[in-house]
Amino acid sequence: MSAPPTSYEQSLVVAERAQAADETISLTLRHPEGEVLPDWQPGAHVELLLGNGLTRTYSLCGDPADGTAWRIAVLRTPDSRGGSACVHDKLHAGDRVEVRGPRNNFPLRPARRYLFVAGGIGITPLLPMVAAVEAAGTPWHLLYGGRSRASMAFTSQLAPYGQKVSLRPQDEYGLLDLDAHLGEPDGDTLVYCCGPEPLLAAIEEHCRAWPTGALQMERFTAKEQEAQGAGTAFEVVCAESGVTVQVPPKHTVLSAVRAAGIDAPFSCTDGICGTCETEVLEGEPDHRDSVLSPEDRAAGETMMICVSRARGPRLVLDL
């Protein structure tokens, strides 16, 4: 189960905007009155509420010890659904933006050694992890790929780590050599990876022989699920609200409960951010998200109601 979010929601000021790489900007956010922001740990993200129902999730990539500022980085994606374009075109130094969080679905767990693998903008959640394990004196290595050096953000920040970082722009080295780093399972190593789906799928394949739980990933897009169809209708009992709703085959639990007037939180609606994670009191979920681990899925204690359904005729949820 992911760490619960704070209830914090605040209009923050863009204190600094900088070019982090080609098509990538970094934003430093501060409280307008200089107040301290909620604590966070490596792997956490926040949500930017950009108006007109547009909400986007971005990893915190600054220093968790700095309670006065949150830093994020945003890549302008060619297939943007409006989020990255809005941030790039409309958020400048001095502007304000509504921010909610933080939440952490990608926590840094104790290990004897770490291998970090980043693809493109996937470097963002790994930056504070690298800093944390370096400060702790734990052995680690970062394999960082991108289209070109110019497209890879925060390389100057990583330079002081020397040979602990392998920068591998594709136009110079080709695809990342995963065999060299993941070919032999290592029970003492945790692998943390974030990046585009083809990279994550390749790493999953390479890590099949590794111990359970050795691979930790965060996705920016939903993992392709096996064809499951729209499913059958089922009933959701909202225990806290005392409301029972029917979820038709082509509707989600989220849409059904919100249509019934229940203010369930949500953000991505793709099963990748964890905002809609809801406690399951009775029934068996049909998990279709890209957040929960296999162990969490098997436990069935929570579900992402924006995409997941029920395996039986009834679910009782803490809503």
Side-chain angles (χ1 to χ4, degrees), residues 187-209:
D188 291 333
T189 298
L190 287 185
V191 180
Y192 276 79
C193 179
C194 187
E197 186 56 34
L199 172 63
L200 301 188
I203 288 181
E204 278 188 312
E205 185 62 32
H206 278 77
C207 287
R208 289 190 186 280

Side-chain angles (χ1 to χ4, degrees), residues 217-230:
M217 297 191 299
E218 184 165 65
R219 286 180 155 86
F220 292 141
T221 58
K223 180 180 180 180
E224 185 175 349
Q225 304 286 339
E226 296 181 3
Q228 300 176 75

Side-chain angles (χ1 to χ4, degrees), residues 6 34 50 69 126 174 204 208 253 274 279:
T6 70
L50 300 169
L126 303 184
E204 278 188 312
R208 289 190 186 280
V253 175
E279 185 177 357

Side-chain angles (χ1 to χ4, degrees), residues 32-239:
E33 306 300 326
E35 295 181 9
V36 174
L37 301 175
D39 292 337
W40 61 279
Q41 297 298 319
H45 64 254
V46 293
E47 298 171 7
L48 267 57
L49 284 64
L50 300 169
N52 296 321
L54 194 62
T55 302
R56 292 293 182 267
T57 300
Y58 298 106
S59 298
L60 290 170
C61 59
D63 181 2
D66 182 0
T68 68
W70 285 344
R71 186 180 70 173
I72 62 172
V74 181
L75 168 70
R76 182 194 288 271
T77 56
D79 56 349
S80 172
R81 294 183 297 171
S84 68
C86 179
V87 172
H88 275 253
D89 296 340
K90 298 182 179 180
L91 286 184
H92 302 278
D95 290 339
R96 293 198 183 195
V97 60
E98 198 75 14
V99 183
R100 183 167 58 205
R103 172 186 287 273
N104 198 338
N105 302 323
F106 194 42
L108 183 64
R109 306 184 190 282
R112 294 182 179 178
R113 182 182 180 275
Y114 295 91
L115 173 63
F116 300 104
V117 185
I121 196 63
I123 188 62
T124 51
L126 303 184
L127 285 176
M129 292 186 182
V130 162
V133 298
E134 174 72 8
T138 306
W140 63 276
H141 190 82
L142 168 65
L143 180 61
Y144 180 15
R147 297 187 310 277
S148 65
R149 288 183 184 272
S151 72
M152 297 168 68
F154 303 114
T155 53
S156 61
Q157 181 177 331
L158 294 167
Y161 296 126
Q163 294 185 350
K164 293 181 179 180
V165 176
S166 297
L167 297 180
R168 295 294 184 265
Q170 186 174 349
D171 61 355
E172 298 177 31
Y173 292 90
L175 297 177
L176 293 178
D177 186 358
L178 298 181
D179 283 335
H181 293 84
L182 299 169
E184 293 293 331
D186 181 354
D188 291 333
T189 298
L190 287 185
V191 180
Y192 276 79
C193 179
C194 187
E197 186 56 34
L199 172 63
L200 301 188
I203 288 181
E204 278 188 312
E205 185 62 32
H206 278 77
C207 287
R208 289 190 186 280
W210 283 59
T212 301
L215 176 59
Q216 304 290 319
M217 297 191 299
E218 184 165 65
R219 286 180 155 86
F220 292 141
T221 58
K223 180 180 180 180
E224 185 175 349
Q225 304 286 339
E226 296 181 3
Q228 300 176 75
T232 58
F234 58 95
E235 178 181 87
V236 169
V237 179
C238 302

